[in-house]
Amino acid sequence: MGNCCSQGKGGEVEFPDVPESVKHVFKEFADENGVITSKALLKFFQEYQQDKGVLHGPIANLLLSFPSTGGNDEAAVAPAPKERMYRSMTFKGQGSKLSQAMGKVSHTVGSKAKVVAGGPNEDRFFHLLMNPTATAPIIARVSHDMKQPMSHYFIFTGHNSYLSGNQLTSDSSVKPIIKALQRGVRVIELDLWPNNEKTDIVVMHGGTLTKPVGFDDCIKAIKEHAFVASEYPVIITLEDHLTAPLQAKAAQSLTAILGDTLYCPKDGDDAKEFPSPFSLRGKILISTQPPKGPKELSTVVATEDPAEEKLDARPAEGEAVAGAGAGGDGVTAVGSEERRAKAKVLGLGEVEKVRAKVEKEREAANAAVKEGRLHEVNESELLEEAGAWEQEDAAAVEPEQLAPEYRRLIAIPGGKLTGGQTVEDGLRDTGEGPPKRVSFSESQLLNTAKTCPKGLVSFTQRNLLRIYPFGLRVTSSNYEPMPAWLHGAQMVAMNMQGYGRPLWIVHGFFSANGGCGFVKKPDFYLKPGNRLEGIQEGDESAAGSTEGAFDPSVPRPIQMFLRVRIVVGTGWLERFGKGHFDTYSKPDFYCKVSIEGAPSDATEKKLDVCNDTWCPSWDSVTLEFPLILPELALLCIEVLEKDQFQDDFGGQAVLPVASLKPGFRCVSLYDRKGHPLVEVGGEEVVGPRLLCHFEMGSPFEDKDKEEEQVEEFPRVAQKSAGGSYEV
């Protein structure tokens, strides 16, 4: 690859030559003077790139910098009447520097400095394509119908949102809450406990050594930052371990701090569906299990996660956390005698039997985790033996201690699958009564998906299903979210302070729909009849029946072909500097490209190593992915640097296939924690990024036409003996 035009740390420069595929397209749109006029550039964006709204978006600033005709005549620089009209409008995304540089103003491109009067030459056209603002890979605006019931959307959800680190000893703070909201998270979880004096409310992970943070501080932070990334509603899920007086105090704080932003359901509201995100813009909702009444207190209480049963708010002075620092699960066993007495008073003697079973299961779970046998831990069996499925770790409230003012604030009530029911019966929804929210652990979800996948999908057409991490993920690691989405779960709660591939997947998934935190489910998830199973729409002969509901486990025909080409990459030198990867030589980059989605769609392909270059290119290789469920598929790209012992990380990006835009697209890379590595300031772009080419085709198109398009440029990659892809 060529070397020019990118300033790195210490003065190093490196930028690729124009790739052959870019030259090929440039020739189609350039005039006889070797430049692209404003009219031709508009045609390129509208027809080749299919950016239909280009005149009303960030690219408009670029287009308005060009004359309507080519040539070096100064008169040609004057904008046409329509262009003058658009010049007067304000556009976001591109500064005036880039607009000027792309017009007649001289711009230095290394050794290829030229004064271009009629529009960009080949080099400037290539630089334009390498700007992520000009060629963003996905639709950057809210494009889904936001007026459907909330149960029709996947919702960006956090777990233990107040924790700054691990689940055992880290500080509770408002900072991770603020970061989550700035990222676009729409569901914030708070665990409410009495303080030591039982006079106030603190937020902390009960039964651990995590330090508390004030409840009021958390609510203030939520109000201040709730709508910085999205105007759509924020849901606060509360795990309530409070007495009735403290519940009343919590209600007072919520009302006083949130004010008009707090959404309270009307008295007597028995709506059969949740409100829409559109109708709740600018509102904050409370979701928790309503305080129990006298008749409900005879039910056996199972905690949110049996493997992490929290026995008290926090250890008494002088008491240690069991296993902390010694390889144990770190659950504090304190207050057992007090708890036994309370159980007898409340008529919950069976809790002791559950406790014994939980302790035994916890020991088995610890052993399984240490030996890499986490899949053997079966939480659903434990919960069925306990006789009830509770969706929250809610402490029982004595009959005379009810806080009606607290109950009135609950917009999304927590529900449960009652004792004695099979999972199938519990998930059957007749459509009667108000909708509810139910929580499953990650292992509960996987077990239930095996036995009644259509039941989960049918249940989530009207109700909300929240999935939370297994209790032994004490390092704040995360689980794979895709199985939950595939089965309709809307609230897939993640430890946002963690990092790793599962969180990359979540970040990429919720970059869809303008990053507003709500992604509408495909229509066939929401109706008894769906296009994939050939069932007639509107067939609702059996209320509560799962017949006809979408079953993600059933094999289906291919719906789409996604073709991906990683044209070229650049920006590592300017971002990290010489010697970041190899001390004495240039990097040896290679690329992994994979699909995350339905099991039959999930696959990974590896591109060959590009030796000794800061600008790796795979322009001659096209990867093809057949997809049966493109609506939920994610394109995952990971760049690695080949090393003798352990390959170095070069960046990653996850893109929702349903939001991908065709043509040449500049994909910005992110670090391991999901933070962007690219900085864009008008014309200046610093950081690692990939120029990709995307093509989405239907399997029902004419075969000959499809083969002709693939063979024209370039050929489809074939797998080599070493497992990588080459032509």
Side-chain angles (χ1 to χ4, degrees):
M1 300 300 298
N3 303 332
C4 64
C5 179
S6 189
Q7 187 74 19
K9 290 185 176 180
E12 304 92 344
V13 292
E14 188 111 2
F15 200 86
D17 287 335
V18 181
E20 288 299 320
S21 60
V22 175
K23 291 181 179 180
H24 179 80
V25 173
F26 179 81
K27 290 178 182 177
E28 292 184 14
F29 293 91
D31 64 11
E32 64 276 6
N33 297 315
V35 297
I36 297 183
T37 65
S38 59
K39 184 177 180 180
L41 190 60
L42 176 62
K43 183 178 180 181
F44 166 76
F45 278 111
Q46 290 185 328
E47 296 183 7
Y48 188 91
Q49 299 283 90
Q50 296 183 30
D51 285 321
K52 302 301 182 184
V54 66
L55 286 178
H56 304 282
I59 305 171
N61 281 350
L62 305 182
L63 300 181
L64 299 180
S65 299
F66 298 107
S68 58
T69 61
N72 296 325
D73 187 356
E74 281 297 323
V77 177
K82 182 178 290 188
E83 291 177 331
R84 290 195 194 100
M85 177 183 70
Y86 283 114
R87 258 189 208 274
S88 64
M89 299 176 66
T90 300
F91 298 95
K92 297 180 180 179
Q94 282 289 353
S96 58
K97 286 185 179 180
L98 186 54
S99 299
Q100 295 171 355
M102 296 302 297
K104 66 172 184 175
V105 180
S106 173
H107 182 80
T108 301
V109 186
S111 61
K112 302 180 180 180
K114 292 187 178 182
V115 176
V116 181
N121 63 3
E122 188 178 83
D123 297 296
R124 288 306 303 147
F125 178 71
F126 176 40
H127 276 69
L128 171 63
L129 297 183
M130 291 297 295
N131 188 306
T133 302
T135 57
I138 63 173
I139 300 170
R141 67 182 187 282
V142 175
S143 56
H144 298 179
D145 177 9
M146 301 301 290
K147 296 183 179 181
Q148 300 298 312
M150 194 180 298
S151 59
H152 290 194
Y153 301 84
F154 301 110
I155 309 173
F156 203 174
T157 303
H159 174 258
N160 289 353
S161 305
Y162 50 88
L163 287 180
S164 58
N166 67 66
Q167 303 286 310
L168 296 179
T169 61
S170 66
D171 291 344
S172 301
S173 169
V174 300
K175 290 182 179 179
I177 296 173
I178 294 172
K179 288 181 180 178
L181 291 169
Q182 290 173 338
R183 186 105 204 189
V185 172
R186 298 290 87 191
V187 182
I188 299 295
E189 181 187 27
L190 303 178
D191 290 345
L192 308 188
W193 295 87
N195 63 0
N196 284 336
E197 295 75 24
K198 314 296 183 185
T199 58
D200 205 353
I201 307 165
V202 294
V203 175
M204 63 174 294
H205 196 199
T208 69
L209 292 179
T210 56
K211 295 180 181 179
V213 63
F215 174 63
D216 286 6
D217 293 335
C218 293
I219 301 303
K220 290 175 183 177
I222 292 173
K223 181 183 181 182
E224 184 176 350
H225 298 88
F227 306 109
V228 295
S230 171
E231 65 177 339
Y232 292 97
V234 167
I235 301 168
I236 305 175
T237 60
L238 302 177
E239 279 196 26
D240 170 15
H241 306 265
L242 304 176
T243 60
L246 288 181
Q247 285 180 348
K249 187 170 185 177
Q252 183 179 7
S253 293
L254 289 167
T255 303
I257 296 172
L258 298 180
D260 293 339
T261 63
L262 179 62
Y263 174 82
C264 299
K266 298 177 181 178
D267 292 337
D269 187 0
D270 57 352
K272 298 295 192 295
E273 292 182 323
F274 288 115
S276 71
F278 182 84
S279 68
L280 295 171
R281 289 172 299 168
K283 294 294 183 182
I284 298 174
L285 289 70
I286 304 300
S287 178
T288 188
Q289 182 175 348
K292 296 178 181 298
K295 292 183 179 180
E296 298 172 291
L297 291 171
S298 61
T299 304
V300 178
V301 175
T303 63
E304 179 187 80
D305 190 337
E308 66 168 347
E309 179 164 355
K310 308 178 185 83
L311 304 179
D312 203 349
R314 58 191 306 176
E317 187 174 353
E319 290 184 307
V321 174
D329 65 358
V331 177
T332 310
V334 298
S336 57
E337 292 299 327
E338 179 183 353
R339 190 174 177 92
R340 289 191 187 96
K342 179 182 289 187
K344 292 178 181 178
V345 169
L346 298 178
L348 300 176
E350 289 298 310
V351 170
E352 293 306 308
K353 295 180 182 179
V354 176
R355 178 199 296 277
K357 179 65 177 176
V358 168
E359 293 293 342
K360 184 177 180 180
E361 184 72 13
R362 180 160 50 200
E363 293 176 5
N366 272 321
V369 171
K370 291 178 181 178
E371 299 172 17
R373 299 181 289 106
L374 184 59
H375 63 279
E376 296 182 13
V377 180
N378 192 327
E379 290 178 272
S380 61
E381 288 184 5
L382 174 63
L383 289 171
E384 288 189 76
E385 292 175 13
W389 284 32
E390 285 286 341
Q391 91 295 348
E392 292 294 340
D393 182 14
V397 182
E398 297 187 29
E400 64 273 19
Q401 293 183 331
L402 297 175
E405 60 268 53
Y406 181 72
R407 181 189 290 266
R408 283 195 293 268
L409 300 184
I410 301 174
I412 303 177
K416 65 180 181 179
L417 304 183
T418 57
Q421 286 184 318
T422 64
V423 179
E424 290 82 354
D425 289 340
L427 290 174
R428 194 178 300 276
D429 182 18
T430 63
E432 298 298 324
K436 59 186 177 182
R437 174 179 64 82
V438 171
S439 293
F440 282 7
S441 71
E442 57 178 287
S443 53
Q444 275 181 271
L445 180 278
L446 294 176
N447 289 330
T448 306
K450 294 176 182 177
T451 59
C452 56
K454 294 201 295 185
L456 287 168
V457 173
S458 179
F459 179 78
T460 56
Q461 289 174 353
R462 196 174 74 97
N463 303 286
L464 295 175
L465 179 59
R466 171 179 169 267
I467 310 301
Y468 55 87
F470 184 67
L472 293 175
R473 293 188 180 276
V474 295
T475 60
S476 294
S477 64
N478 282 300
Y479 54 101
E480 294 296 335
M482 187 56 70
W485 291 327
L486 285 171
H487 290 87
Q490 298 93 338
M491 297 180 173
V492 183
M494 306 294 282
N495 292 312
M496 299 304 298
Q497 74 275 30
Y499 59 94
R501 184 179 173 87
L503 210 53
W504 302 351
I505 297 299
V506 172
H507 291 161
F509 188 86
F510 285 104
S511 67
N513 200 25
C516 73
F518 287 82
V519 174
K520 189 175 180 297
K521 293 182 181 182
D523 288 342
F524 52 84
Y525 268 84
L526 307 174
K527 302 174 182 178
N530 64 77
R531 63 170 175 82
L532 296 179
E533 292 189 350
I535 297 171
Q536 295 297 321
E537 293 189 10
D539 182 10
E540 303 177 6
S541 55
S545 172
T546 62
E547 191 66 32
F550 173 67
D551 186 347
S553 65
V554 174
R556 289 173 179 84
I558 294 172
Q559 301 295 312
M560 188 184 86
F561 284 102
L562 172 65
R563 298 185 182 92
V564 178
R565 185 162 15 112
I566 311 296
V567 178
V568 69
T570 190
W572 287 277
L573 178 62
E574 60 194 20
R575 179 69 169 79
F576 299 116
K578 187 177 180 181
H580 177 80
F581 295 103
D582 295 317
T583 305
Y584 301 109
S585 64
K586 295 180 180 181
D588 305 315
F589 289 117
Y590 68 96
C591 198
K592 291 181 180 179
V593 184
S594 61
I595 294 292
E596 188 79 17
S600 57
D601 289 344
T603 185
E604 181 179 286
K605 300 181 180 183
K606 179 182 175 183
L607 294 168
D608 281 338
V609 175
C610 292
N611 293 306
D612 296 317
T613 178
W614 285 101
C615 304
S617 176
W618 299 274
D619 193 25
S620 61
V621 181
T622 296
L623 303 176
E624 185 173 81
F625 299 94
L627 303 174
I628 68 163
L629 200 60
E631 294 87 349
L632 294 186
L634 297 165
L635 175 65
C636 308
I637 303 173
E638 185 175 3
V639 179
L640 299 164
E641 198 274 331
K642 191 69 178 175
D643 209 344
Q644 184 177 0
F645 301 105
Q646 183 176 358
D647 295 345
D648 297 319
F649 179 77
Q652 56 85 18
V654 177
L655 304 170
V657 171
S659 298
L660 276 181
K661 299 199 286 187
F664 288 102
R665 300 293 166 182
C666 185
V667 177
S668 300
L669 297 182
Y670 295 78
D671 66 14
R672 292 183 184 274
K673 294 187 177 182
H675 301 142
L677 292 172
V678 173
E679 298 177 7
V680 181
E683 173 187 10
E684 300 298 326
V685 183
V686 177
R689 56 204 186 275
L690 301 172
L691 180 63
C692 301
H693 188 278
F694 302 129
E695 180 185 348
M696 286 71 82
S698 167
F700 310 110
E701 291 176 356
D702 181 73
K703 256 188 175 181
D704 294 335
K705 180 181 177 182
E706 190 172 285
E707 290 175 1
E708 181 182 344
Q709 290 174 342
V710 173
E711 288 296 327
E712 180 182 350
F713 187 91
R715 290 173 290 158
V716 176
Q718 301 296 322
K719 195 169 186 179
S720 66
S724 59
Y725 283 74
E726 55 189 22
V727 291

